[in-house]
């Protein structure tokens, strides 16, 4: 009979141990460690050099002085460059508020533009004139596409 009880006990143990034990997962609890800043290991020394006082005096504020006489001038210039084809000039004279002058420039269409202007202090008056007739030559493109350097493939049929 004891054998029957032992076998029954073994069968009960096997039946109970058939399933893996179910454990509730543990949630970790994190507590931050307290932070203590280290003591400074470096102490800046006191400066051993003291700058001397300046021996100069600071400059005083300078206000520019302008003459009380009205402006009076004459100037002109001109450029004629055969290599680049630039041809222009400018001349101007001023006596107080009266300014007059002119400038000329060769335009790309072959005309020459001349601007004469006068200003008596009450506004600029300009007179524009042109010399010559505008020419627009027929444009002939110089570019010609090159022929392909390869022969077209021969068609093959299957």
């Amino acid at each position: 009979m004891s054998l029957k009880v032992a076998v029954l006990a073994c069968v009960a143990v096997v039946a109970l141990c058939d399933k893996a034990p179910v454990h509730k997962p543990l949630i970790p609890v994190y507590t931050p460690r307290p932070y203590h800043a280290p003591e400074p290991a470096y102490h800046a020394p006191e400066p051993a050099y003291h700058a001397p006082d300046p021996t100069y005096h600071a400059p005083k504020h300078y206000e520019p002085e302008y003459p009380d006489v009205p402006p009076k001038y004459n100037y002109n210039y001109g450029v004629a460059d055969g290599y680049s084809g630039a041809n222009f000039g400018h001349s101007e004279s001023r006596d107080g508020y009266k300014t007059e002058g002119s400038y000329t420039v060769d335009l790309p269409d072959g005309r020459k533009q001349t601007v004469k202007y006068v200003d008596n202090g009450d506004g600029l008056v300009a007179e524009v004139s042109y010399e010559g007739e505008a020419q627009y030559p027929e444009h002939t493109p110089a570019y010609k596409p090159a022929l392909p350097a390869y022969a077209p493939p021969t068609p093959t049929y299957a």
Side-chain angles (χ1 to χ4, degrees):
M1 169 102 171
S2 64
L3 181 65
K4 288 182 184 178
V5 171
V7 169
L8 183 62
C10 286
V11 169
V13 167
V14 168
L16 289 176
C17 293
D18 186 30
K19 295 180 183 174
V22 178
H23 296 287
K24 194 175 189 183
L26 295 175
I27 299 173
V29 177
Y30 297 106
T31 57
R33 294 183 182 174
Y35 175 74
H36 301 288
E39 293 293 324
Y42 173 76
H43 299 285
E46 293 294 323
Y49 171 75
H50 298 287
D53 293 330
T55 58
Y56 64 91
H57 299 290
K60 295 179 181 177
H61 181 68
Y62 173 73
E63 287 289 332
E65 294 181 16
Y66 296 106
D68 293 333
V69 296
K72 184 174 185 177
Y73 61 84
N74 291 315
Y75 78 89
N76 61 13
Y77 67 89
V79 174
D81 185 13
Y83 180 74
S84 67
N87 187 8
F88 55 91
H90 186 192
S91 66
E92 181 175 299
S93 64
R94 181 170 182 181
D95 188 7
Y97 286 108
K98 181 177 170 102
T99 305
E100 51 187 37
S102 68
Y103 61 89
T104 61
V105 63
D106 284 351
L107 298 175
D109 61 6
R111 296 180 296 166
K112 182 180 221 175
Q113 179 185 25
T114 303
V115 178
K116 295 179 182 177
Y117 57 91
V118 176
D119 185 2
N120 293 322
D122 56 354
L124 181 75
V125 178
E127 177 188 331
V128 181
S129 62
Y130 297 94
E131 296 176 19
E133 187 173 328
Q135 298 181 14
Y136 303 103
E138 186 67 33
H139 176 69
T140 56
Y143 171 75
K144 293 180 184 175
L147 296 174
Y150 57 88
T154 57
T156 58
Y157 303 104

